[in-house]
Amino acid sequence: MMWNMVLRRIGVGIVLLWVVSVLIFALTQILPGDAAQIRLGQQATPESLAALRKDLGLDKPWYIQYVTWIGNLITGDLGISNAGGATISSLIGNRIGNTVFMTAIVTLIAVPLSVVLGLLAAMYPGRLLDRIITSGTLGLIAVPDFFVAIFLILFLAVQLGLVPAVSYLSGTESFWKSIYVLALPIGTLVIVVSAQMIRMTRAGILNVMSSPYIEMAILKGVPRKRIILRHALFNAIGPIVNVIALNLAYLVSGVVVIETIFAYPGLAKLMVDGVQTRDIPLVQACGMIFCSTYVVLILIADIASIMSNPRLRHPK
Amino acid sequence: MTDTSNEPANVLEVHDLMIEARPHGAPPIPIVKGVSFDVKPGQVVALIGESGSGKTTISLAALGYTKPGLHFSGGEVLLQGEDMELVSDERKRQLRGENVAYLAQSAAATFNPALKIGEQVTESAVLHGAMTQEAATQRAEELYRALELPDPDRIGGRYPHQVSGGQLQRLMAAMALVSRPSLLVLDEPTTALDVTTQIEVLKAFKKVIQEEGSAAIYVTHDLAVVAQIADHIVVLYGGKVMEQGSAEQIVTNPQHSYTKRLMAAVRPSPVAGLGDSMAGDHLRDVPALEVRDVTAGYGKGADGKPLITVLRDVNVTIERGHVVGIIGESGCGKSTLARVMAGLLPASEGEVLLDGHALPPSVKERKREDLQLVQFVFQMADTALNPKQRIGDIIGRPLQFYHNVHGRELREEVRRILDLVELPAVFADRFPAELSGGQKQRVNLARALAARPEVLLCDEVTSALDTIVGANVIELLKNLRDKTGVSFVFISHDLSTVASFADEVVVLYAGRVVEKGPVDQVLSPPFHPYTRLLIASVPELRVGWLEETMQTREALAGIARGVTLTDVGCPFFDRCPVAIEGTCDKLTPPTREDQSGHGHYIECHREVVELGGAGATAPA
């Protein structure tokens, strides 16, 4: 029963990835001008265009192009960048480490922090601590991320001079040195993603807190801390993992503004650069990576909520 | 109390208890208005009254607990001398679970779905330091045995969804009893159960209460249940005590007029001759609705058959203007049958005929006129009525949709329909939340009637209502039947209600029709053994009934067993006192008709004569 559902969910994930790949491919087909045109520029002669098209396989029907593209993608050959002619794998390879590093650090700080703060708020709803947490997070959700970033730069880097304002890594720094260099973007992202996760944790727990089995636990004389941690948390896990997954996906793909502000060479910035230079193969590759991240993270979240359901884990 | 006799001190003393609701920005509303009573050691005190009488609120006060929004406003609740209104939160936590324990109405909702049963049962005792985990687990297993739960060594390792409703209810009793509390608070612990399960749970409760010697408060609206278990009865109405006295005295010689009214609303035992059968009145050649050879279930298996078959070869005929009662325990397929009739669950085999023509199995394919003629009334009016729509709009919608009635005419018609269900016309402008449970159920009926149906499918429409309100709704249904000539399919697990209202009865067991016929024939011999068990399980309003019933052969054989769906033989085989080994478990029982000629059919391997009088022959 449960494994059926998990397998079905994985199947849906694969279908979804396929649909996404078709969409990404279709969008780049619809855009005016093709790779050959972009590479050779406006002044290219029809003959040289035709030669390059033949070379790139652009003269073949679209479905052949799609199959070639997806086949290469699956085997790890992401193609050649239109700008400069470097392989896209090497371009992405340079950046992906940076993105993964930052995402991992932010996740390790933000997820436990959010769950703990969310639980604290839910423990005593309406009390002072809860009000500070709920109004604080609401404020942070309302404020755009670049504002948080600029505020932190102004305050911590410019005024107090505690940390560097620009996050440039040469690749030779020690771990702690890297953390120090990245303190500001990490701080910004922790603040930005935690707000939602805290609120969702609190809401998820409070929703469960109104159920009869919680009232029963109160009437059994179970202390409030144990009620929340043992009785409520496990039943609220579904929505909490989902919002965590969404925020992690955002960390991989949606942090363009933050990367730009701190001049941090991550994947999101690479994609934006690709758009500016009309480097279609690069945009396609980044698009596929971002979409896959979303699909995989949401898939993990779904599987986690399926696994947390005792009805599915232990069928009759 | 200033009692100088040698009686042991009371476990609980409630003096002039007052509890009020404090809504935001409104004056407080008194809910409990000065209630006093005592509970002596080992005594079972019943709090009875209809919903809104404050009985649950009072019972929770014994644990020093008020529902959110309610507050203590006066009096005292002394649990072994400690005032539960005043003790510190820490002390209150200590007393809860250790000195006083609570059993809620719905065990299904009260058990945490994510935790194992054993942990939840022993949690309180271990947390309070009264026992080690091992001792508590051992004690829990003893209680499982005492409560006659199956597989006592291992049931603690299961999750709540893995055991049946009746078992959960008893497991909740174990949870309450683990740390040997001096006071048990039982809040309607059997109301949500089938009659056969109710007996079994009542018996188990009564036994452990006696063995453990703990005192108890038993909250219920069901006098017949109270008569079985209580020593002392407190009758409540509107947050005040109307009358209190020994169980014997209240049951046999009630003084207060309200108690008498409660007694009058107790449904009589289901015997023949209660109903005012209309058989023959509206008869025409073609029945209003006919279910022919229907097999249906859930899930899609191979070869188009359902994965879980709930109904098998069901044949039911609803004559025009008749009320057909469908009875059986939960899980026997009553609601599924109604859903097949309405097309909500397409039958996998067989057909549903309306006025003699076959309806498409699925509601999606049915024509608008077909939909209009078969209307569904759901059990929970609360969830069936859109809370954001006014009553007038709820009732008006089917009029617009099916009959294209608009404007002034629509308002007139809504008023007429409200009048039909005995509600004032001003209700058209109200929202469902402003109505009481009984009123909401009337609106629920009105909505269905507005479509001007030929057949009304009523699924447990009175089950969620308390005795007096439920009785009023039945009166209304009778009036509607007489006035409109609509046919009713009345689904209920409550035999007494069916007995007083139906013209014909269909008894379902494990998805099969085991007996059907005119109500008076079904409720008098010959009986299908299952029908006999059902009838015998309805509590009677007299002290000592429970003990007598538990001794009968039907009870010994049939109670405490679940419904099993079988492909071969008679599904009732394992609970039947007159089962024939080698026949009943192997062969599908034949359908027999009794001699009366009224169309009374019984599906059983036993001859009609054998099922006849009280002394059916013993199994070979």
Side-chain angles (χ1 to χ4, degrees):
Chain A
M1 177 72 171
M2 180 179 73
W3 294 113
N4 274 347
M5 285 185 76
V6 169
L7 284 179
R8 196 178 312 153
R9 218 41 79 84
I10 292 175
V12 169
I14 291 171
V15 170
L16 206 58
L17 277 178
W18 172 72
V19 170
V20 163
S21 76
V22 170
L23 277 179
I24 287 178
F25 182 78
L27 280 177
T28 52
Q29 292 286 304
I30 291 164
L31 290 177
D34 59 10
Q37 184 110 55
I38 295 160
R39 210 182 282 187
L40 294 177
Q42 295 293 325
Q43 275 73 43
T45 62
E47 292 76 26
S48 57
L49 268 178
L52 187 60
R53 283 199 176 121
K54 196 168 169 53
D55 202 27
L56 294 172
L58 296 178
D59 55 337
K60 301 211 174 83
W62 62 269
Y63 48 88
I64 303 275
Q65 288 186 46
Y66 171 76
V67 172
T68 318
W69 175 69
I70 200 86
N72 288 340
L73 202 67
I74 291 167
T75 53
D77 177 5
L78 301 177
I80 296 179
S81 164
N82 278 343
T87 62
I88 290 172
S89 334
S90 69
L91 283 177
I92 288 178
N94 289 338
R95 302 293 189 91
I96 206 162
N98 289 339
T99 291
V100 168
F101 181 72
M102 178 110 91
T103 305
I105 300 289
V106 173
T107 307
L108 285 177
I109 300 173
V111 171
L113 181 81
S114 308
V115 172
V116 168
L117 285 179
L119 287 175
L120 278 176
M123 194 112 51
Y124 302 105
R127 301 270 184 87
L128 186 63
L129 181 66
D130 176 44
R131 287 189 192 182
I132 292 172
I133 291 175
T134 41
S135 49
T137 50
L138 186 62
L140 285 171
I141 289 174
V143 171
D145 49 0
F146 62 83
F147 183 84
V148 177
I150 290 170
F151 178 81
L152 287 183
I153 291 179
L154 194 68
F155 194 68
L156 294 177
V158 178
Q159 299 250 313
L160 298 174
L162 290 175
V163 283
V166 173
S167 312
Y168 181 73
L169 287 178
S170 67
T172 54
E173 293 88 350
S174 71
F175 177 76
W176 293 111
K177 176 76 178 164
S178 308
I179 300 274
Y180 170 73
V181 172
L182 295 181
L184 280 185
I186 289 174
T188 310
L189 287 174
V190 165
I191 289 175
V192 171
V193 298
S194 295
Q196 270 192 19
M197 295 195 281
I198 292 171
R199 292 183 70 83
M200 201 60 195
T201 307
R202 176 185 179 274
I205 298 278
L206 285 183
N207 188 26
V208 173
M209 289 301 280
S210 58
S211 41
Y213 54 83
I214 297 293
E215 187 172 62
M216 187 69 213
I218 296 173
L219 291 173
K220 270 158 66 179
V222 179
R224 193 157 177 93
K225 203 162 82 190
R226 188 180 153 84
I227 289 180
I228 297 224
L229 294 179
R230 187 79 191 133
H231 287 262
L233 184 57
F234 206 65
N235 286 295
I237 245 155
I240 297 176
V241 249
N242 265 295
V243 84
I244 289 177
L246 276 176
N247 276 291
L248 295 191
Y250 160 81
L251 282 177
V252 172
S253 61
V255 291
V256 183
V257 178
I258 302 296
E259 287 182 1
T260 309
I261 290 175
F262 294 100
Y264 184 72
L267 269 187
K269 196 156 179 307
L270 182 67
M271 179 166 176
V272 173
D273 294 343
V275 170
Q276 276 166 357
T277 56
R278 296 188 70 189
D279 192 347
I280 288 170
L282 178 65
V283 173
Q284 282 179 325
C286 288
M288 275 314 289
I289 292 178
F290 294 164
C291 290
S292 320
T293 315
Y294 265 94
V295 170
V296 168
L297 283 170
I298 297 296
L299 183 68
I300 292 172
D302 279 353
I303 292 176
S305 28
I306 292 174
M307 307 275 255
S308 75
N309 184 343
R311 280 172 196 279
L312 299 175
R313 221 159 8 104
H314 307 277
K316 287 202 175 187
Chain B
M1 298 270 267
T2 53
D3 197 0
T4 50
S5 71
N6 287 336
E7 262 182 72
N10 291 327
V11 178
L12 183 79
E13 292 179 11
V14 177
H15 299 308
D16 203 23
L17 174 65
M18 288 193 242
I19 296 173
E20 60 187 24
R22 291 178 193 155
H24 275 292
I29 304 158
I31 303 292
V32 177
K33 305 158 187 164
V35 165
S36 307
F37 65 95
D38 298 335
V39 182
K40 297 186 178 64
Q43 193 184 37
V44 178
V45 173
L47 304 182
I48 67 165
E50 53 197 285
S51 45
S53 61
K55 54 190 194 300
T56 296
T57 307
I58 295 166
S59 71
L60 284 170
L63 294 110
Y65 183 80
T66 50
K67 294 252 180 197
L70 298 184
H71 300 268
F72 290 115
S73 54
E76 48 183 15
V77 180
L78 299 176
L79 177 72
Q80 296 175 306
E82 285 186 78
D83 192 340
M84 293 302 282
E85 291 183 37
L86 303 175
V87 295
S88 71
D89 284 356
E90 192 49 40
R91 180 70 187 141
K92 211 184 269 178
R93 238 178 17 74
Q94 195 68 27
L95 291 170
R96 286 177 188 165
E98 223 182 315
N99 297 42
V100 52
Y102 181 72
L103 269 96
Q105 173 165 5
S106 161
T110 336
F111 270 97
N112 189 331
L115 303 180
K116 286 184 183 168
I117 290 166
E119 177 183 344
Q120 302 191 54
V121 169
T122 55
E123 182 179 33
S124 172
V126 176
L127 268 181
H128 290 109
M131 288 178 212
T132 62
Q133 183 64 56
E134 290 72 45
T137 307
Q138 209 186 342
R139 159 99 174 127
E141 280 171 18
E142 283 163 23
L143 285 168
Y144 300 155
R145 273 193 195 91
L147 289 159
E148 288 162 23
L149 282 156
D151 209 0
D153 309 332
R154 273 179 300 175
I155 200 165
R158 294 168 152 239
Y159 284 88
H161 68 272
Q162 294 173 307
V163 303
S164 75
Q167 289 169 6
L168 261 191
Q169 213 71 29
R170 281 177 284 157
L171 284 164
M172 191 164 60
M175 179 158 85
L177 288 163
V178 155
S179 45
R180 300 190 173 84
S182 4
L183 179 68
L184 274 178
V185 177
L186 303 99
D187 188 359
E188 305 255 17
T190 64
T191 307
L193 305 174
D194 284 318
V195 276
T196 53
T197 322
Q198 168 169 283
I199 291 201
E200 158 209 344
V201 171
L202 270 181
K203 185 191 74 165
F205 281 179
K206 190 162 187 177
K207 184 172 149 221
V208 283
I209 289 173
Q210 276 165 0
E211 283 172 8
E212 300 279 329
S214 58
I217 294 179
Y218 198 102
V219 176
T220 183
H221 67 265
D222 191 337
L223 262 167
V225 166
V226 160
Q228 309 315 316
I229 202 156
D231 304 308
H232 187 87
I233 296 178
V234 180
V235 183
L236 294 161
Y237 180 75
K240 282 191 200 146
V241 176
M242 297 290 110
E243 177 175 6
Q244 54 179 311
S246 75
E248 192 71 54
Q249 180 248 308
I250 300 274
V251 170
T252 53
N253 186 20
Q255 301 297 313
H256 196 279
S257 62
Y258 177 72
T259 318
K260 288 177 188 160
R261 244 176 76 209
L262 263 184
M263 305 279 291
V266 170
R267 298 170 197 124
S269 298
V271 290
L274 277 180
D276 39 356
S277 175
M278 313 253 308
D281 275 15
H282 297 266
L283 261 180
R284 271 194 248 160
D285 296 344
V286 191
L289 194 75
E290 203 178 345
V291 172
R292 262 191 215 159
D293 303 321
V294 158
T295 296
Y298 297 94
K300 234 192 209 128
D303 61 9
K305 290 209 170 95
L307 218 51
I308 304 155
T309 308
V310 181
L311 294 175
R312 271 173 214 276
D313 298 327
V314 171
N315 285 287
V316 175
T317 305
I318 293 115
E319 300 289 350
R320 211 167 291 273
H322 276 207
V323 176
V324 175
I326 298 183
I327 56 174
E329 288 162 286
S330 48
C332 71
K334 304 186 295 281
S335 293
T336 306
L337 180 53
R339 290 168 62 84
V340 167
M341 289 174 178
L344 293 172
L345 179 78
S348 60
E349 281 168 50
E351 52 185 0
V352 179
L353 289 85
L354 178 71
D355 287 332
H357 73 269
L359 288 174
S362 165
V363 71
K364 285 179 224 148
E365 294 152 25
R366 292 190 184 176
K367 291 201 295 278
R368 187 178 283 205
E369 304 86 78
D370 298 334
L371 296 177
Q372 175 228 324
L373 292 176
V374 182
Q375 289 288 314
F376 210 114
V377 185
F378 291 95
Q379 173 173 5
M380 305 297 276
D382 270 326
T383 48
L385 303 180
N386 186 336
K388 302 281 184 211
Q389 284 186 353
R390 291 178 196 278
I391 304 303
D393 297 330
I394 293 173
I395 300 175
R397 178 64 191 149
L399 288 167
Q400 295 169 357
F401 182 72
Y402 291 121
H403 304 290
N404 204 18
V405 180
H406 291 281
R408 210 168 57 87
E409 200 190 339
L410 178 69
R411 280 194 299 280
E412 284 293 315
E413 189 63 16
V414 167
R415 202 164 64 199
R416 197 186 63 78
I417 291 168
L418 277 173
D419 188 52
L420 198 62
V421 297
E422 295 157 23
L423 288 176
V426 290
F427 274 38
D429 291 325
R430 300 204 180 158
F431 288 100
E434 297 170 60
L435 273 55
S436 73
Q439 289 166 342
K440 270 184 262 193
Q441 200 53 277
R442 283 164 193 261
V443 173
N444 201 13
L445 274 168
R447 188 212 56 77
L449 285 170
R452 297 172 203 156
E454 282 204 356
V455 181
L456 212 51
L457 309 171
C458 300
D459 188 3
E460 303 270 12
V461 287
T462 59
S463 305
L465 307 173
D466 54 67
T467 331
I468 293 179
V469 182
N472 291 339
V473 170
I474 293 295
E475 276 310 306
L476 169 69
L477 287 172
K478 284 183 186 168
N479 288 341
L480 290 175
R481 175 194 60 187
D482 300 347
K483 276 188 210 160
T484 60
V486 171
S487 314
F488 285 80
V489 174
F490 188 84
I491 294 170
S492 180
H493 66 268
D494 181 1
L495 263 154
S496 320
T497 310
V498 172
S500 66
F501 177 46
D503 301 304
E504 282 127 53
V505 177
V506 174
V507 184
L508 275 182
Y509 184 78
R512 287 176 199 263
V513 176
V514 294
E515 181 168 1
K516 67 179 172 188
V519 63
D520 291 350
Q521 262 71 35
V522 172
L523 293 176
S524 53
F527 291 116
H528 187 280
Y530 177 60
T531 315
R532 187 190 285 273
L533 170 68
L534 278 182
I535 294 173
S537 304
V538 177
E540 286 173 26
L541 183 52
R542 59 190 169 83
V543 178
W545 168 84
L546 181 64
E547 284 72 13
E548 284 168 36
T549 304
M550 288 318 294
Q551 299 311 315
T552 61
R553 203 148 45 91
E554 282 77 22
L556 291 175
I559 290 170
R561 298 263 175 76
V563 180
T564 39
L565 299 164
T566 51
D567 285 330
V568 285
C570 171
F572 193 58
F573 169 72
D574 57 347
R575 296 172 74 181
C576 184
V578 294
I580 310 163
E581 196 97 26
T583 304
C584 293
D585 52 343
K586 299 271 162 44
L587 302 170
T588 303
T591 306
R592 305 178 186 278
E593 185 177 2
D594 80 355
Q595 314 304 319
S596 68
H598 287 108
H600 177 206
Y601 297 96
I602 299 176
E603 210 169 86
C604 190
H605 284 293
R606 293 276 174 188
E607 298 285 341
V608 171
V609 232
E610 292 179 277
L611 301 167
T617 45

